[in-house]
Each structure stands twice: as structure tokens, then as C-alpha cells.
Amino acid sequence: MSYYNRHELERNTRATAEEVNAELIKVKAAFDQVQAAMEALSIGAGLPSFTWIAYADSIDGTANFTTGEPGNREYIGIATNKTIPIESTSPDDYTWSHYKGGIDGTDGVDGDSFYVWIAYADKIDGTVNFTTGAPGGRHFIGIAANKLTPTESTNPADYQWSQYSGPPNFGLVATAGAAVAGNRIIKTSGAYTWGESVYSSESYAAGAFVSFRPELDDQMMIGLNTDPATDASYTSIDYAIYIQVGHTFRVYESGVSVHGPVAFTAGDTFAVQYDNNNVYYSRNGIIFYQHATTPNLQLFLDSSMVGQGTNATIISFSAGGRIGPAGDDGPPLLGFYQDSSPGAGAFVNQTWYRPSYKEWFVWNGSSWVRLLGDVSALSIITDAYISTLHANKILTNTITANKFLTDAGVDRAAVVPGSLNAGSIGTYAGTYTLNRKSNPGDPPNEGAICYTATITATDFADAIFINWGGTFSGLNSACNIYLQVSVNGGGWTTYDDPKVTTNLVAGFYNLSLEFQGHTAGTTIQARIYVQNGSSTSAGNGQEITITDGFAKVRRFFAKS
């Protein structure tokens, strides 16, 4: 039932009896509600309070006012503590405010961003080898949560630390200034002296093995020892590898150097092994020093370190198998027979040498096969062991049939004359003026030069021989005689071996070498170079005379 509102009827309106009765009912209902309110006041219940809500399209409520649904109106009007529930239709009775968006509100205060810091170290409190970068093999991890900046602290105390990788599978004991971090040992404090050590609590009898990789260019020793708890010095370690500053190492035994120094590269791994009869020292798996020693030793891992931060990683310590019994003697690898048949070989790949013929043979299981020998074009003697003569295996300049000393084993008619190699010979003679030494190079005014023509290799297995000679006069101890080689038209390379440089006197000199490192198509040229080796200009103007000089480059066919 709604309250009576006289404004709903227009004045001077004629009404039917039904309409009048309806209006009277509304009036009665209004008086009934007033009566109920009065009764409430009489018993102290107080008057009811109502809130009116209206909507409009202007801040004063006058545009498009309504107390019904808001629709798309922009503003809301509110009136509180009203004694009747029927909303007023007067905009002035309301307090107006913006109802829809369109004017941005004030930005709120940003909330806090939280970050997690992570660090790594080689000690449980984070004080050794601390980093906030990659772990890099470190064995402890530090975590700090709910931090207000993304930049990690460099203070280890700001982190909660725990072990990051597992410990080695053997016990390690560290002295006061040393620490064990997983499979790494490190000196953490103390003076710069041999005063801190890490050693194993376990030992192995009649066979032991220790390996490690040094991580800092500083002094340390690691090895095997019978009494590691005696002291922390290197002098008591029985068998140790000594890592020195400058990436060199030695072998020390009971405080005495017995091998080295030898250079090594960062990242190299070292090992010491005892097999009950011998001790072996190796680098990257290759033994570089060994000797016999006392059997039945009980050995521990032991170490000694000098500077703070000195450390080694990938520490491994285990039992090593003792050496087994010696096996039976094997067959001989070499048989010498004085120019006679050895009969059948004793085993495959056995070799046989014939001194007078300077020949080597190998037994293939059924016959002797010739490997090499001093074969001359003027003296080729065939027998049952040289059944076939291959021209491309003879290192000669020219072979013709009438130069063979043949017997029934060689068919003269089957020998085809022809050149078996290519050669280039340069000759020179004359008197040359030599000035003081500078870098070997092209003339003039530095030396006597003899060029050869160019030889081209046809196969990587071709034999390329270079030799030179001549009769020299006017030489002295300051003269140098070099062989120089040019490959594929490039610069000249001076060969220190062979060369003639010491106390030179007049006479004939002749040296040669086999050139290696060529492939098919490589071109080789050689020359002889004579140079004044005086270190001052006082040596300028020296004259030498060369007669019968020559320089040769020869290519022989593939040797296989």
C-alpha cells in the first residue's frame, strides 16, 4: 500500500463515485500510517529513517531527473534520514555526485615488489670464493628472500647458506685455515707460508690413487703420504706434485725435488698412483715420471697450501690395484740373419734385416715381404725375396735397361727405360761481397744466392729432396750458410737444420733434407744463401769465393 499523494489528481477534475472511493481509501491508509508512527513514539521506538536515491544528467540534478532506474544517467543524488520512504521529486532535496566513469581518480600508492637473492660460495658461511654470479663449481648456495631491491648484496651474512653439491665419497680433514667444499679443498686463512693442509681420514694399502685439478696460480702440493697428521708442511708428503706460480710443476718426494720444472696449462688434471711396486706421476692421463718404491705402503691423501684462496677441485682418492705378476716372455720382435735365409717367420709382423744389402723384410704369415733398403740403379741384385721390381720404388734420377746387373731372376726386355723423377738444379760460382748480418732476405749485398726452378708435387706421398753444395773460400767463423725454401710462391723460410755456421774454413760443404708437409699440387723452390754473421758494421766488405756450387730440388714418385 502506498501513501496518499494529492498531487496525483489534477484540480477541478470530475470523478466518478468509484474514483472518489479509491481516493478515500488512500487517505485512510495515510492516516493509518500516521497513527502507527504516533503509537511508536508513545512506546519510545523512534521514527523510522529512510534514504532517497535519484539520478540525473547534471551535477545539480535538474537534467533528466528520476527516482527510478538510473539508465545511462551520469549523476546520482542521495538524501538520508528522511522520515517517509517516498522520494522527493525536487532535485534540491538531494546531494549530487558523479555516478559514471569519465574523470580519472587519483593514482593509488604502488605496492612493494619483493625479490629473492641467490649467491654461491665454497664455505658454509659464504666467506670463501663468494659470488652472486654463476655457481662455477662452488659447493654452497645462499638464499635471501623478500628483499626490496633486485641487486644482490655482496655481504655473505645477508644470506641463508646450505650445501649445494654433495661431498666426496671419502673423508677429508681440514686444518684450521683450510676448508673442504664438496670435492674442492681451499686455504681460507693464515700467513703466506706452507701452513695449512687437507688430508684424508681414510687410507689404502698396497695401492692408492689421487687426482686433482689446480684452480689458482699459487703454490700447493697434493699427493700420497703415510703420515698426513704429522704436520701441515709439504716436507712430510712422501709423493707429491708441486704446483708453482707461473703454471709450472715439479715432483717432490719428502721435501726434495726429483723432477721438473715443467710448464702446464690451466685446466690440466694431475694424478699420483702407487701400485705396490712403483709410483707414477701423470698429467691429463699421460705418465711423465715414475720409479720403483717400497712395497706394502699404507697411503693417505695429503696436501699443503701457501696463499689464501689457493685451491684444487675434482679431488679424487681411491684404492689402486697392485701390479700383477710378470707375464711370460714374448717372441722376439727382430731377427738378424747374416745374409742368409731365416726360414719361416716365428710370428706375423716379425722383421728380418740383411746387413750387406741394407734391406728390411716383414713376415706376413706365409712369406717375407721386403719393406725398404738401399737400392742403387747401378747395383740391383734380385733373389727369391725380390720377385718383382717396381720402378716407382727406386729413388734414382734416370734408369735405363743397360744399367741393371741382371741374372736369371730379371727379364731385361721387361725393363722400360725412362725418367722416374723430376729435378731442378741451379749452379753458381763467383766472388761475393758480404755485409754485416741482418734478417735473412733477398739480395743484394747480403749473400751469395743460387736459385732452383720450381718442383710441383703430384701426390702427398711424393718424396721431395733438397740438397746443396759447393767449394767455399774466404769463410770465417762469422759466416752462415743457410738453405732457404719457398712454398707455393710465398716468402723464403730459412732452415736452421741443416746449416753450417761454426768455425767455417775453406772447403766443400754439402747438406740435404727431405721436405715434408706438401700435398698434391704444392710447388717447392730452394736456394742457397751465404751470409755474413758479424753483429757490427766492422764485418762489412768480406769477400768469399764459391766454385762448383749447386742447389737441387728433386721430386720422386710416391714411396708406397
Side-chain angles (χ1 to χ4, degrees):
M1 179 182 294
S2 61
Y3 289 98
Y4 172 69
N5 184 355
R6 63 183 179 82
H7 297 293
E8 293 181 4
L9 294 177
E10 296 180 5
R11 294 181 179 181
N12 303 319
T13 299
R14 297 178 67 181
T16 63
E18 289 82 3
E19 289 174 336
V20 171
N21 289 333
E23 289 300 317
L24 289 175
I25 291 172
K26 292 180 181 180
V27 171
K28 181 179 183 301
F31 277 106
D32 290 341
Q33 292 188 2
V34 171
Q35 180 65 31
M38 295 300 293
E39 292 175 354
L41 286 174
S42 65
I43 63 175
L47 292 174
S49 178
F50 300 92
T51 297
W52 300 339
I53 297 177
Y55 303 93
D57 278 329
S58 62
I59 192 61
D60 60 0
T62 59
N64 202 16
F65 175 92
T66 184
T67 58
E69 294 296 325
N72 291 323
R73 292 170 177 81
E74 299 281 342
Y75 297 89
I76 185 171
I78 297 177
T80 60
N81 298 322
K82 300 302 179 181
T83 58
I84 60 174
I86 303 301
E87 295 93 340
S88 169
T89 58
S90 173
D92 294 336
D93 292 337
Y94 296 83
T95 300
W96 294 91
S97 61
H98 206 271
Y99 177 62
K100 294 180 64 176
I103 299 176
D104 293 336
T106 303
D107 291 339
V109 179
D110 290 340
D112 291 328
S113 296
F114 293 98
Y115 301 89
V116 175
W117 299 340
I118 297 178
Y120 303 92
D122 276 326
K123 194 175 180 182
I124 190 61
D125 62 0
T127 58
V128 175
N129 207 13
F130 175 92
T131 183
T132 56
R138 293 169 177 82
H139 296 282
F140 294 91
I141 184 171
I143 298 177
N146 297 325
K147 299 301 177 182
L148 297 178
T149 173
T151 303
E152 295 95 339
S153 169
T154 58
N155 182 4
D158 291 337
Y159 297 81
Q160 297 293 322
W161 293 93
S162 59
Q163 189 155 336
Y164 182 57
S165 61
N169 57 2
F170 54 92
L172 289 176
V173 179
T175 58
V180 178
N183 63 357
R184 181 193 302 267
I185 63 174
I186 186 168
K187 181 171 180 175
T188 58
S189 62
Y192 192 82
T193 184
W194 297 96
E196 303 302 336
S197 172
V198 173
Y199 59 89
S200 67
S201 58
E202 302 174 22
S203 64
Y204 299 102
F209 175 89
V210 61
S211 66
F212 67 96
R213 186 180 71 197
E215 288 291 289
L216 186 68
D217 189 19
D218 207 338
Q219 299 182 84
M220 70 183 310
M221 292 197 194
I222 298 180
L224 300 172
N225 194 10
T226 56
D227 54 350
T230 299
D231 54 46
S233 174
Y234 71 90
T235 57
S236 64
I237 304 178
D238 297 325
Y239 310 105
I241 291 179
Y242 175 20
I243 302 300
Q244 299 177 279
V245 175
H247 284 97
T248 60
F249 69 91
R250 295 174 180 265
V251 173
Y252 261 61
E253 295 184 349
S254 300
V256 178
S257 176
V258 297
H259 180 79
V262 180
F264 73 95
T265 303
D268 286 352
T269 299
F270 295 88
V272 183
Q273 181 179 4
Y274 168 70
D275 68 359
N276 201 46
N277 287 328
N278 301 281
V279 60
Y280 306 90
Y281 300 86
S282 61
R283 176 166 65 113
N284 298 328
I286 300 175
I287 295 173
F288 60 83
Y289 181 69
Q290 68 182 77
H291 63 80
T293 191
T294 306
N296 300 316
L297 295 177
Q298 188 88 18
L299 292 171
F300 298 76
L301 179 156
D302 199 3
S303 65
S304 184
M305 296 170 281
V306 174
Q308 291 188 35
T310 300
N311 69 97
T313 188
I314 317 180
I315 299 292
S316 176
F317 180 56
S318 62
R322 67 173 63 198
I323 192 169
D328 296 333
D329 292 338
L333 294 178
L334 184 65
F336 285 92
Y337 294 90
Q338 188 65 36
D339 300 331
S340 62
S341 171
F347 54 90
V348 174
N349 293 327
Q350 182 185 7
T351 56
W352 163 38
Y353 177 65
R354 293 205 302 180
S356 63
Y357 292 90
K358 299 179 181 179
E359 294 173 319
W360 286 94
F361 296 83
V362 64
W363 180 254
N364 66 8
S366 59
S367 62
W368 292 100
V369 178
R370 183 177 178 277
L371 293 177
L372 54 89
D374 184 13
V375 181
S376 169
L378 299 179
S379 178
I380 298 180
I381 301 174
T382 62
D383 57 22
Y385 302 106
I386 306 179
S387 58
T388 303
L389 183 62
H390 297 282
N392 64 352
K393 293 182 180 179
I394 303 175
L395 307 183
T396 59
N397 192 21
T398 303
I399 296 180
T400 58
N402 61 4
K403 292 182 181 179
F404 282 95
L405 302 180
T406 62
D407 57 21
V410 176
D411 181 3
R412 179 186 289 269
V415 179
V416 179
S419 175
L420 296 182
N421 64 8
S424 172
I425 302 175
T427 60
Y428 53 96
T431 299
Y432 301 87
T433 299
L434 305 182
N435 291 325
R436 67 183 179 87
K437 179 180 179 181
S438 62
N439 291 329
D442 293 333
N445 299 328
E446 289 207 20
I449 303 294
C450 175
Y451 289 92
T452 68
T454 299
I455 288 296
T456 301
T458 59
D459 187 273
F460 77 93
D462 283 356
I464 306 295
F465 289 91
I466 302 170
N467 68 305
W468 60 266
T471 302
F472 296 80
S473 61
L475 301 174
N476 60 34
S477 60
C479 288
N480 300 310
I481 304 177
Y482 294 99
L483 179 63
Q484 294 186 328
V485 177
S486 173
V487 177
N488 293 328
W492 292 94
T493 299
T494 299
Y495 279 79
D496 288 336
D497 184 17
K499 69 177 179 180
V500 179
T501 59
T502 306
N503 298 323
L504 299 183
V505 296
F508 180 80
Y509 294 95
N510 181 10
L511 293 175
S512 63
L513 63 85
E514 179 179 3
F515 183 79
Q516 299 179 348
H518 55 275
T519 59
T522 300
T523 59
I524 301 99
Q525 187 180 22
R527 70 184 186 185
I528 184 64
Y529 186 80
V530 185
Q531 189 178 59
N532 186 345
S534 174
S535 61
T536 68
S537 59
N540 286 349
Q542 177 187 358
E543 292 188 352
I544 64 168
T545 301
I546 306 174
T547 58
D548 301 325
F550 65 89
K552 302 178 181 179
V553 179
R554 295 181 177 182
R555 183 196 75 233
F556 299 98
F557 292 134
K559 293 179 286 186
S560 60

